[in-house]
Amino acid sequence: MAPTQGVKTITTNVGWSVLSKTATFGLKFVTVPILARLLTPEDFGTVAVALTVVQFLAMIGGAGLTSALIVDRDSGMDTVHTVFWANLAMSLIMSVILFLGANGIGSWMGAAQSADLLRIMAFLIPLQLTADVAYSLLAREMNFSKDAILSTVSETTAALVALALAFMGFGIWALVVQLFSSAVIRLVGLYSITRYVPRFVIKPDRMGPLVRYSSGLMGSEIANFVTFQAPMVVIARMLTLADAGAYSAANRFASIPNQVVLSAVMGVLFPAFSLMGDDRKRRTDALMLSTQVMTVVLAPAMFGLWAVAEPAMLVLFGPQWAYAWPVLGLLALSKAIVTPCSTFIPYLKGTGQSRVLFWSAVLRAIATTLAIMLGATYGSLVDAMVALCVVNAITLVGYSWAVFRVDGIPFFWGLMTSSRSMLTSLVMGVGVRLTLSTFEAQLTSPYLQLLVGAVVGGVLYGAMFLVTERALVKKIIGMVKRRRGGSVADAPPA
């Protein structure tokens, strides 16, 4: 039986993961705007479309087997070797499909000129899927400190290489080399850290339990992929490649807070929830606490970006991207609306609620795709982003109802508790926008607008947070004290 993970173990791993993402946050905060100034919207759009295809084929090829390995800690190395060869075989098949079908796929995606790029990026798929097997070994042991260091090194090195190539005039290839550099460093690093050496062992009978688990997740994984990638495909097909580039650049920047916090925390919460088994009280406490903390951290960042989107776009991306500031603002707003849902996917995955995860993901994917299509058909890129905000508001209510129903949490209490900081952040964002509008004549510089917006937003949110989240602060302080004192809660139960 796997050891029970206490609060101390989970928070330590979350800390390492967040530290890793924070270390790359500053670099991405700088590199994305610099690359946007050196490259064109069409460059961003072309790479974004190609990467969408690669990620989809990699997801299909992996079939969720490595996620199943993380949950099934009792499986031996023969099972790990079998998954490695299965992933490698499927990744090669997907690469061949992409290489041979590049012309047709590029045209269907609305980027016919991306065919050569798709052929090159087909080689990313084996790099990603074979690395995932080694990562699963780290995740099974909740050993995220080593992965945190490796992620920092790979992302930082790849970003610096991309900047150098962009300055040297390599254009779109700077983004391509960035992707390959990161993938290669991650692959080599994971196998060095885990010291995993694949052996030619293939035992199909060991795959049965993994396939049963992964098959329950694959539908939801595909649906989630459609939710997050459908806007790019629809925009490229129904609008222009420049619009797709504007969406890609704005989305890259607006997603930085999520990348820093969510990608770190979700990677830890998934195996953590899976270890809690049938201990409903621990699961409920962990779900509500993690949801509240994520909302407290992410909501003010996203609503703040929405409030200062116009000066931020001009300062960070330059005059050639200034027209796209509504896209940046609306993307930030759409992400802010669903911040209370940030822990729902790892919770449902970790607790084996594949049916709820599947239908929630499918309904969200359908709604998102239809909304973006309608917005693009009868309006512009901005109208499509407005439609995305509306869908996310509906998603917040529907997703919360589904998850709270599974865990037995009263819906209205759970929704208000998890969304309280989001509503506080919304009030803060509105206050910042009203301030900038009121003093528009005095704040003529976009730099000054950003400074004033940050100060006003910080003061407003800080004051409201102290009033509305006193119980959460007390809980966190209590956890810190217990951790320092070596609380019994961190020890496995008798």
Side-chain angles (χ1 to χ4, degrees):
M1 179 181 293
T4 301
Q5 302 295 323
V7 173
K8 182 175 181 179
T9 303
I10 295 173
T11 53
T12 298
N13 282 293
V14 169
W16 272 108
S17 294
V18 172
L19 180 63
S20 165
K21 301 303 178 181
T22 303
T24 59
F25 167 74
L27 186 63
K28 286 188 175 183
F29 187 86
V30 174
T31 56
V32 171
I34 291 177
L35 288 171
R37 288 173 178 266
L38 295 172
L39 305 175
T40 66
E42 287 78 6
D43 289 337
F44 270 87
T46 302
V47 172
V49 169
L51 185 59
T52 298
V53 178
V54 170
Q55 290 174 337
F56 179 75
L57 292 178
M59 179 185 63
I60 297 297
L65 291 177
T66 50
S67 293
L69 271 182
I70 294 174
V71 175
D72 186 11
R73 287 170 169 76
D74 296 329
S75 59
M77 291 307 297
D78 285 353
T79 304
V80 176
H81 297 320
T82 302
V83 170
F84 171 85
W85 294 112
N87 268 17
L88 179 60
M90 288 301 298
S91 67
L92 293 176
I93 291 173
M94 294 299 168
S95 296
V96 170
I97 291 174
L98 180 56
F99 190 90
L100 297 178
N103 287 325
I105 294 173
S107 298
W108 186 85
M109 295 285 288
Q113 63 270 46
S114 67
D116 291 337
L117 187 61
L118 283 171
R119 293 189 182 94
I120 293 174
M121 292 180 66
F123 295 98
L124 272 175
I125 300 176
L127 295 177
Q128 292 178 353
L129 289 185
T130 51
D132 286 347
V133 177
Y135 171 78
S136 68
L137 298 177
L138 283 181
R140 285 167 68 164
E141 302 300 325
M142 295 291 285
N143 191 355
F144 290 95
S145 59
K146 294 179 180 179
D147 179 62
I149 296 172
L150 176 59
S151 296
T152 302
V153 172
S154 62
E155 293 292 337
T156 301
T157 303
L160 292 175
V161 170
L163 280 178
L165 293 176
F167 274 112
M168 293 167 61
F170 281 85
I172 194 173
W173 298 107
L175 298 174
V176 177
V177 172
Q178 181 182 18
L179 295 172
F180 274 94
S181 299
S182 177
V184 170
I185 295 172
R186 178 175 181 265
L187 174 68
V188 174
L190 283 172
Y191 278 83
S192 298
I193 291 171
T194 60
R195 297 183 179 179
Y196 170 61
V197 178
R199 297 177 58 189
F200 193 71
V201 177
I202 301 177
K203 296 188 176 181
D205 59 300
R206 302 292 179 90
M207 298 287 286
L210 301 183
V211 171
R212 283 193 292 271
Y213 176 83
S214 63
S215 62
L217 292 181
M218 272 306 296
S220 60
E221 294 289 345
I222 293 173
N224 283 325
F225 184 89
V226 171
T227 296
F228 297 115
Q229 300 300 330
M232 173 59 63
V233 178
V234 172
I235 291 167
R237 282 182 57 84
M238 303 186 68
L239 297 175
T240 67
L241 202 55
D243 285 327
Y247 171 83
S248 175
N251 193 48
R252 277 190 175 208
F253 190 80
S255 296
I256 288 177
N258 286 349
Q259 291 174 345
V260 173
V261 180
L262 286 186
S263 59
V265 174
M266 288 175 70
V268 177
L269 288 181
F270 166 39
F273 279 126
S274 71
L275 287 170
M276 292 179 185
D278 296 325
D279 192 338
R280 180 177 172 276
K281 185 179 185 305
R282 291 184 67 217
R283 287 204 321 265
T284 300
D285 290 344
L287 172 64
M288 294 308 299
L289 178 61
S290 58
T291 301
Q292 286 181 273
V293 172
M294 291 302 98
T295 306
V296 164
V297 173
L298 288 175
M302 303 316 300
F303 278 110
L305 181 56
W306 164 71
V308 298
E310 185 171 6
M313 200 74 181
L314 184 61
V315 169
L316 297 171
F317 288 78
Q320 67 169 331
W321 295 86
Y323 73 95
W325 78 261
V327 179
L328 175 63
L330 289 168
L331 275 170
L333 182 60
S334 71
K335 297 176 189 299
I337 292 170
V338 290
T339 47
C341 303
S342 55
T343 59
F344 290 173
I345 292 177
Y347 170 81
L348 293 173
K349 288 176 64 176
T351 55
Q353 297 290 338
S354 58
R355 183 181 179 86
V356 177
L357 185 63
F358 172 76
W359 285 111
S360 299
V362 167
L363 292 174
R364 185 182 181 187
I366 293 173
T368 299
T369 304
L370 290 177
I372 297 294
M373 289 180 64
L374 289 173
T377 301
Y378 297 103
S380 63
L381 179 58
V382 172
D383 296 305
M385 295 300 97
V386 171
L388 180 61
C389 291
V390 174
V391 167
N392 280 0
I394 298 172
T395 297
L396 170 63
V397 177
Y399 222 158
S400 298
W401 176 82
V403 171
F404 295 153
R405 185 171 181 269
V406 165
D407 202 74
I409 298 173
F411 171 68
F412 289 105
W413 177 84
L415 182 62
M416 290 307 301
T417 301
S418 61
S419 302
R420 188 166 51 236
S421 289
M422 185 198 71
L423 298 175
T424 302
S425 301
L426 172 59
V427 174
M428 176 271 293
V430 172
V432 170
R433 296 203 74 162
L434 288 175
T435 300
L436 295 181
S437 177
T438 301
F439 296 97
E440 182 178 4
Q442 290 77 25
L443 303 175
T444 56
S445 168
Y447 294 93
L448 185 58
Q449 292 170 10
L450 282 178
L451 177 60
V452 171
V455 172
V456 172
V459 172
L460 285 176
Y461 184 73
M464 290 186 290
F465 173 78
L466 293 176
V467 174
T468 60
E469 298 294 344
R470 286 177 294 180
L472 178 61
V473 172
K474 289 180 180 179
K475 183 183 294 186
I476 294 175
I477 292 175
M479 289 175 55
V480 172
K481 289 181 178 179
R482 288 195 299 272
R483 176 173 174 174
R484 289 178 177 175
S487 170
V488 177
D490 288 332

